[in-house]
Amino acid sequence: MVLFVVFFIFVVVVGFVSYFSGRQRIRDIATFAAAHGLQVIGNDWDLGDCGFSLFREGSRRYWYNVLRGQWNSLPVSYCDYSYVVSDGKNQNTVSFSNVIATIGAQMPQVTVSPRGAIGTLAERSIGAPGIRFESIDFNDRFDVHSNDDAFAVELIDAQMIETLLGIDHAYHVVFGPEYLMVYAHRRPVAEIGALFDATALITGRIPALVRARTGA
């Protein structure tokens, strides 16, 4: 009985903390939006999955704290995104901060994901899966996949490699088919401005040859 009461109190406390943290994040994001001229949309996400596999993960998916507007003249959308993974009676919620920009054309999808410690070790020793580039530092840090390897190599040229090496080590980047997305596991509101900056910088580094060929 005592254990049940302790557990019940624990659940209630966690619930209250989660609720008030969520409310505070809503207020902080509204303040951030006002400071940067972004429109607060709330929980109304109308872009669907945008062709991103991340937005199809889990058994349940949620988009909230949605923002929309321009960042350095680039049309962008932001969302806090979560999906729920169910394993029998156990459930786990995975949450991300995501910035999406319109590319302006269709292109083959290219995913750029940071390698974990094991992936980096594998790359340095036996060679991990993924497309190879001329930069050893880039190959050690990122795992790149696409259905069109030649396009990926054209897209991720020397300037793009330098740009991607300069962003936060935890950022994931997905190019195409219609949008560019930069995301990471849930970030404090004070850090999401850097996510917007990275999105604008990467979009601006798409090679002119790729833009001309795809119409971007």
Side-chain angles (χ1 to χ4, degrees), residues 24-48:
Q24 184 60 52
R25 185 173 180 86
I26 290 172
R27 289 191 290 269
D28 290 345
I29 283 184
T31 300
F32 172 86
H36 296 282
L38 300 171
Q39 181 183 5
V40 177
I41 307 297
N43 300 337
D44 185 13
W45 181 256
D46 58 4
L47 296 180

Side-chain angles (χ1 to χ4, degrees), residues 29-180:
I29 283 184
T31 300
F32 172 86
H36 296 282
L38 300 171
Q39 181 183 5
V40 177
I41 307 297
N43 300 337
D44 185 13
W45 181 256
D46 58 4
L47 296 180
D49 64 25
C50 300
F52 301 134
S53 60
L54 179 69
F55 287 170
R56 298 190 294 271
E57 292 284 352
S59 57
R60 297 194 304 277
R61 290 161 289 277
Y62 305 95
W63 291 263
Y64 41 97
N65 290 328
V66 177
L67 304 177
R68 194 156 292 158
Q70 293 200 347
W71 190 274
N72 294 340
S73 301
L74 176 70
V76 292
S77 297
Y78 171 86
C79 65
D80 284 343
Y81 167 72
S82 298
Y83 67 83
V84 178
V85 178
S86 300
D87 181 13
K89 294 182 178 180
N90 299 319
Q91 293 187 342
N92 182 42
T93 300
V94 189
S95 300
F96 300 90
S97 296
N98 309 66
V99 176
I100 295 97
T102 302
I103 295 176
Q106 287 274 347
M107 65 172 59
Q109 190 165 81
V110 180
T111 63
V112 182
S113 303
R115 295 189 189 277
I118 295 176
T120 300
L121 179 61
E123 171 61 29
R124 290 176 177 174
S125 55
I126 60 175
I131 302 169
R132 296 293 183 278
F133 296 84
E134 293 184 0
S135 169
I136 295 175
D137 289 342
F138 185 85
N139 292 332
D140 285 348
R141 181 169 157 188
F142 292 108
D143 184 18
V144 180
H145 290 272
S146 177
N147 290 328
D148 188 335
D149 289 9
F151 175 79
V153 172
E154 187 177 23
L155 171 68
I156 303 176
D157 62 1
Q159 190 177 36
M160 183 66 80
I161 285 173
E162 182 181 2
T163 299
L164 292 171
L165 285 172
I167 66 175
D168 190 298
H169 285 218
Y171 287 1
H172 299 246
V173 182
V174 185
F175 298 88
E178 295 182 55
Y179 298 91
L180 167 74

Side-chain angles (χ1 to χ4, degrees), residues 187-198:
R187 291 301 173 111
V189 176
E191 296 180 14
I192 65 175
L195 207 59
F196 281 89
D197 286 338

